[in-house]
Amino acid sequence: MTGESLVRAFYSGKNFFITGGTGFVGLCLIEKILRCIPDSGKIYLLMRPKKGKEISERLKEFPGHPVFEKLLENHSKDIFNKLIPVSGDVGVEDLGLSPEDRQLLVDNVNVVIHSAATLDFEEGLKPTVKINVLGTKRILELCKQIKDLKVMVHVSSAYVNSFLKEAEEKIYETPGDVDSVINLVNRLSDEALEDMEKTILRGHPNTYTFTKHLAEHEVKNCSNLFPCTIVRPSMIVASWKEPVIGWTCSKVGPQGFLMGAAKGVVRRLPLSTENIADYIPVDVVINQLLVAGWHAAKQKSGLTVYHCTTSTQNPFRWNMLNSVVNEMLHNYPLKSAVWYPHLQFVPSLFLFRISAIFVHFFPAILLDMLLRITGGKPILFRLHKNVWNSLARLETFIFSEWRFHNPNTRELATQLNSVDEDLFYINISSIYWIEYFVNLHLGVRRYLNKESEKSIPAAKTKDAILKVAHILWQVMIIVLLWFIFAAIFGFTMLQSCWAPAIMYYLYTLL
């Protein structure tokens, strides 16, 4: 039957338990369930107090989040009554649940979607094991107790196998015994663990990919007890279609550096423009979580892994944007820009570091001085210093290319009827990347830089002023270098009149 949504019919009346519900993926997932599965049951959210706010207070903030704008066009705020906050933390023993809340979940939950994780590539082993490994173990222990569990969906990462340049949709051999790793973490100090880190990680580039790999094996160990599935997104970026084109609340990856580029403070970006960069829109990820859960519950046995990725189906390379990225920045500039935007891609960390001294740090010192004079808080030099210090850990991900094969995902797409193909689209073959990145930039402009479309005319006026200021800055730098050159070599300025042209050419190479 093609007249109704089979995916929606499965989730009708089902109660969800979601971890990571206040994050990028979690918010989008909650919005999709509320908007597209109106007959779903309650949505239990594992939450913890944050910044002095109790979980009930945090829940009250949900209707004001931009991700729910489309939902509230057709529904009153009463729809949020489906959301039930449950106090807890995946990083705490027994999930930090009270006996009453645990029993509430055991008695009522039908679908578990576990997306909570620490994503920090620079985090040490103790916190990543505590959250990514032990947190998953604790969720699975709860799943074993749930009386009417239909499916458990585990959100992993395509990069759990980043020690391979090509990965299949299967669980590869474990990088270590989970219990041994947990014992080490419990027994050793942070300093001792840091000394042993490379040995423990066994080829993994960081603790994040290592612990997420271990977590997959925990899910595999439970695959004969209840229906479960694993979805591995690559780098998750702004929405393609829903709930609003270009929506994002994440500053990770291209969203973060386009945010900085539009401000004029990020002017060079180290990357290989010829390599495939595997990005996946957040709405496709959400759809795949729900579709994978539906299919796993229908199969009832076995464990299927899905790559939610683009590298082998519709690959993106940054050279696609070479001719349009700066045009995009100036067609939709920011009123809050502090420098004239101009983004260039740099093919190595060595060249980036040289460029950064002149185009990031020198302007940052100048702008921070102006901020101090005007009573503002100087942040730009510190921001660029933090980026500089993190580059060594990020180099593998900046300059490597991975291919994540996705036959399971392609096959899953064929299982959808015509209604579900539209409602829960997971086929990414029709994404047109240039159009997508223009929309991503507009989304970053609106949701991260907090500027509406109404500000574009004023922003274009400021963009023109910043262009003049940028040209004057360049002239001043060239004249200063010209003067220094002439003084060092004993020339007059007139005798060395050829020097500025060479200096400007070298400056453009930075």
Side-chain angles (χ1 to χ4, degrees):
M1 219 179 141
T2 58
E4 65 178 54
S5 166
L6 299 180
V7 176
R8 183 158 57 190
F10 165 70
Y11 288 111
S12 178
K14 304 292 192 303
N15 295 325
F16 289 81
F17 176 52
I18 297 173
T19 69
T22 57
F24 183 32
V25 171
L27 285 169
C28 198
L29 174 62
I30 292 165
E31 192 278 340
K32 181 74 175 188
I33 295 170
L34 292 177
R35 180 169 50 85
C36 295
I37 313 176
D39 296 330
S40 69
K42 297 183 184 301
I43 302 174
Y44 297 95
L45 302 175
L46 188 70
M47 298 175 67
R48 58 182 175 177
K50 192 175 183 182
K51 296 179 181 177
K53 292 181 181 178
E54 294 301 316
I55 58 173
S56 57
E57 293 179 81
R58 294 185 68 194
L59 192 67
K60 288 177 183 176
E61 297 174 349
F62 273 48
H65 199 287
V67 73
F68 298 112
E69 286 176 1
K70 186 174 180 180
L71 173 72
L72 291 173
E73 288 175 6
N74 299 307
H75 298 274
S76 72
K77 290 183 180 180
D78 290 344
I79 196 166
F80 290 95
N81 292 338
K82 282 191 175 188
L83 306 184
I84 310 296
V86 179
S87 182
D89 185 343
V90 295
V92 176
E93 193 67 34
D94 294 326
L95 300 172
L97 294 171
S98 69
E100 295 78 16
D101 282 341
R102 191 174 194 90
Q103 195 60 47
L104 178 72
L105 298 175
V106 167
D107 291 339
N108 293 284
V109 168
N110 309 114
V111 177
V112 173
I113 301 180
H114 175 43
S115 72
T118 176
L119 306 176
D120 190 347
F121 283 8
E122 300 188 44
E123 195 76 87
L125 265 172
K126 274 188 187 292
T128 50
V129 167
K130 183 173 73 171
I131 296 171
N132 295 348
V133 181
L134 285 171
T136 302
K137 283 175 74 73
R138 292 162 185 150
I139 290 295
L140 292 167
E141 286 302 316
L142 175 65
C143 288
K144 292 174 187 176
Q145 297 172 16
I146 292 173
K147 294 177 181 178
D148 189 23
L149 181 65
K150 302 299 183 186
V151 68
M152 185 270 186
V153 182
H154 177 68
V155 185
S156 186
S157 167
Y159 297 98
V160 294
N161 302 306
S162 53
F163 51 89
L164 301 170
K165 295 307 179 189
E166 297 202 23
E168 305 291 341
E169 292 167 306
K170 67 179 186 179
I171 297 181
Y172 288 85
E173 183 180 351
T174 178
D177 177 70
V178 171
D179 292 333
S180 298
V181 172
I182 292 170
N183 287 336
L184 273 177
V185 165
N186 289 335
R187 193 173 73 250
L188 300 180
S189 66
D190 288 336
E191 293 75 16
L193 285 170
E194 189 174 346
D195 291 339
M196 295 178 62
E197 191 171 284
K198 283 190 177 180
T199 304
I200 296 170
L201 296 188
R202 294 191 186 180
H204 276 271
N206 53 50
T207 60
Y208 168 73
T209 64
F210 174 74
T211 52
K212 291 294 282 185
H213 190 166
L214 290 177
E216 285 195 351
H217 281 271
E218 292 301 297
V219 177
K220 181 182 177 183
N221 292 340
C222 292
S223 60
N224 62 335
L225 302 177
F226 44 79
C228 49
T229 188
I230 294 174
V231 177
R232 293 175 180 160
S234 52
M235 180 172 285
I236 305 173
V237 287
S239 63
W240 176 24
K241 299 178 183 179
E242 293 181 343
V244 180
I245 293 172
W247 172 79
T248 184
C249 64
S250 169
K251 297 177 184 178
V252 174
Q255 298 146 138
F257 61 69
L258 282 177
M259 180 184 180
K263 289 274 191 182
V265 298
V266 174
R267 311 184 62 77
R268 297 295 183 271
L269 194 64
L271 52 81
S272 175
T273 59
E274 302 296 324
N275 282 357
I276 293 171
D278 201 312
Y279 300 132
I280 189 75
V282 65
D283 48 333
V284 178
V285 176
I286 297 312
N287 289 338
Q288 186 144 349
L289 295 177
L290 294 169
V291 172
W294 158 74
H295 195 258
K298 188 172 66 169
Q299 297 299 108
K300 295 189 184 296
S301 63
L303 175 66
T304 306
V305 178
Y306 298 100
H307 279 157
C308 190
T309 55
T310 57
S311 54
T312 59
Q313 189 171 357
N314 187 358
F316 168 78
R317 294 176 174 85
W318 276 100
N319 58 15
M320 295 178 179
L321 297 184
N322 274 341
S323 61
V324 299
V325 65
N326 286 301
E327 180 182 330
M328 181 175 77
L329 293 173
H330 296 296
N331 283 342
Y332 310 103
L334 290 178
K335 193 178 177 182
S336 58
V338 297
W339 204 274
Y340 183 69
H342 184 78
L343 186 63
Q344 286 182 216
F345 304 131
V346 183
S348 74
L349 280 189
F350 174 73
L351 291 175
F352 172 78
R353 290 185 188 278
I354 294 174
S355 298
I357 293 169
F358 293 92
V359 301
H360 284 167
F361 285 103
F362 285 173
I365 292 169
L366 174 66
L367 291 169
D368 277 352
M369 285 174 57
L370 291 174
L371 284 169
R372 283 193 178 92
I373 292 169
T374 57
K377 185 179 179 181
I379 59 169
L380 295 177
F381 187 87
R382 188 174 74 250
L383 182 150
H384 287 302
K385 184 180 177 182
N386 290 341
V387 171
W388 180 285
N389 292 337
S390 67
L391 285 174
R393 277 188 175 267
L394 294 174
E395 185 173 8
T396 300
F397 293 90
I398 294 171
F399 294 106
S400 296
E401 177 181 278
W402 286 275
R403 293 176 185 268
F404 304 114
H405 298 283
N406 65 341
N408 290 346
T409 291
R410 297 193 199 202
E411 173 60 27
L412 184 63
T414 68
Q415 302 295 311
L416 299 177
N417 64 24
S418 58
V419 176
D420 284 326
E421 281 179 356
D422 291 333
L423 195 59
F424 299 100
Y425 51 90
I426 60 174
N427 186 340
I428 45 79
S429 58
S430 62
I431 293 177
Y432 177 51
W433 285 113
I434 293 178
E435 179 186 43
Y436 171 80
F437 268 88
V438 170
N439 289 331
L440 182 147
H441 169 60
L442 287 169
V444 167
R445 187 183 189 279
R446 179 182 176 189
Y447 298 109
L448 298 185
N449 284 312
K450 309 296 184 185
E451 296 199 15
S452 69
E453 290 185 10
K454 292 179 182 178
S455 69
I456 289 178
K460 285 190 174 183
T461 300
K462 184 173 183 180
D463 193 57
I465 295 170
L466 288 174
K467 183 175 183 179
V468 173
H470 179 62
I471 291 170
L472 292 174
W473 167 263
Q474 288 182 310
V475 169
M476 184 184 75
I477 292 295
I478 296 300
V479 169
L480 178 62
L481 292 173
W482 181 16
F483 176 79
I484 293 170
F485 174 82
I488 290 173
F489 291 97
F491 295 130
T492 65
M493 299 285 276
L494 185 62
Q495 287 173 327
S496 58
C497 61
W498 45 269
I502 296 174
M503 290 173 181
Y504 179 76
Y505 173 73
L506 294 174
Y507 185 78
T508 61
L509 295 178
L510 292 173

